[in-house]
Amino acid sequence: MMGYRAAAAAFTTADGVRIAAGCICEAHAYEECMERLNVLKDYKASAKDLVGIDFELAGTVCSLFYSQAGSDGSPVIAAGASVRIADAELPYGVTTGGILGDPNEEPESSENESEELKAGFNLMTLSGSPGIAADCDRGSINTVLYLVKKLKEQGRIKDEALLDELFESFGIHTALLVFDGTGEDQDVFMASKDEQGTRIWM
């Protein structure tokens, strides 16, 4: 069976934009994916509105991992990012700045439905965050996302050991978890899980 890794990194740009980004990829492509993520050190955010922030972020991340071979031929299963735009112009209580999906598919807003990816991975994103891609079945991924939201509500989402225990309890070996990073009481947050364990990126 082919091995998979979660490549991830977090940066603060020269403009003061904070961003965490990553992807789930075939293990042989890990180093190349890490190199591609370094491009985000120079991420320029021009959009300030609810939809624009996500679509600008999605366009940038998809361009990093897009493959001319398409989804089936790409070593990348899913890619995502969380960004904090301090001067965003959003209605009160609304969040944005979190994206996750197949980088070879056209970006679209979350429909609160699970989606089957290749190689036994599934994806679930919720409008207003969070979103997760993981190597588990569609039923499990819905439950995991529900429990992740509970951890955030309880203020325990930043506990790497607790997140790792949750992933392990569902037999998840590789995952990427993304929250919106922009909005009232929101901040950059992403977690990655692979053979190296669970790590949090903020």
Side-chain angles (χ1 to χ4, degrees):
M1 178 181 172
M2 184 177 294
Y4 296 91
R5 295 288 309 275
F11 308 104
T12 300
T13 71
D15 295 335
V17 173
R18 291 179 35 247
I19 184 169
C23 71
I24 294 173
C25 61
E26 295 169 4
H28 68 86
Y30 175 79
E31 295 297 336
E32 179 185 351
C33 288
M34 288 299 296
E35 287 179 16
R36 292 186 184 193
L37 286 170
N38 279 326
V39 171
L40 294 173
K41 288 179 181 176
D42 300 316
Y43 181 69
K44 301 286 186 186
S46 59
K48 307 294 181 190
D49 63 292
L50 174 66
V51 175
I53 290 171
D54 272 0
F55 274 83
E56 185 174 63
L57 183 62
T60 300
V61 172
C62 285
S63 70
L64 291 179
F65 299 110
Y66 174 79
S67 170
Q68 289 187 339
S71 297
D72 290 340
S74 172
V76 176
I77 308 292
S82 174
V83 68
R84 174 72 177 165
I85 309 296
D87 57 348
E89 299 161 359
L90 302 176
Y92 180 78
V94 173
T95 65
T96 188
I99 59 103
L100 181 64
D102 181 340
N104 291 290
E105 298 290 333
E106 192 71 25
E108 57 185 35
S109 296
S110 170
E111 296 181 353
N112 299 328
E113 294 179 354
S114 58
E115 176 185 345
E116 188 175 344
L117 303 174
K118 67 176 185 178
F121 283 82
N122 278 281
L123 169 75
M124 178 74 185
T125 56
L126 299 178
S127 179
S129 91
I132 186 171
D135 57 347
C136 64
D137 61 65
R138 293 176 85 164
S140 294
I141 208 163
N142 292 334
T143 305
V144 170
L145 206 53
Y146 169 80
L147 294 172
V148 161
K149 285 188 72 175
K150 286 293 183 187
L151 287 179
K152 184 164 192 247
E153 290 167 6
Q154 296 164 0
R156 301 194 295 161
I157 193 66
K158 295 178 182 178
D159 186 329
E160 285 183 347
L162 197 58
L163 265 182
D164 193 63
E165 184 179 319
L166 173 60
F167 292 147
E168 290 286 339
S169 71
F170 284 86
I172 293 173
H173 301 102
T174 313
L176 198 64
L177 171 69
V178 177
F179 277 85
D180 282 349
T182 300
E184 192 76 21
D185 298 324
Q186 289 294 116
D187 211 341
V188 170
F189 185 91
M190 187 180 75
S192 60
K193 160 77 173 168
D194 65 10
E195 63 188 25
Q196 302 296 315
T198 295
R199 289 193 63 189
I200 288 173
W201 307 87
M202 296 185 296

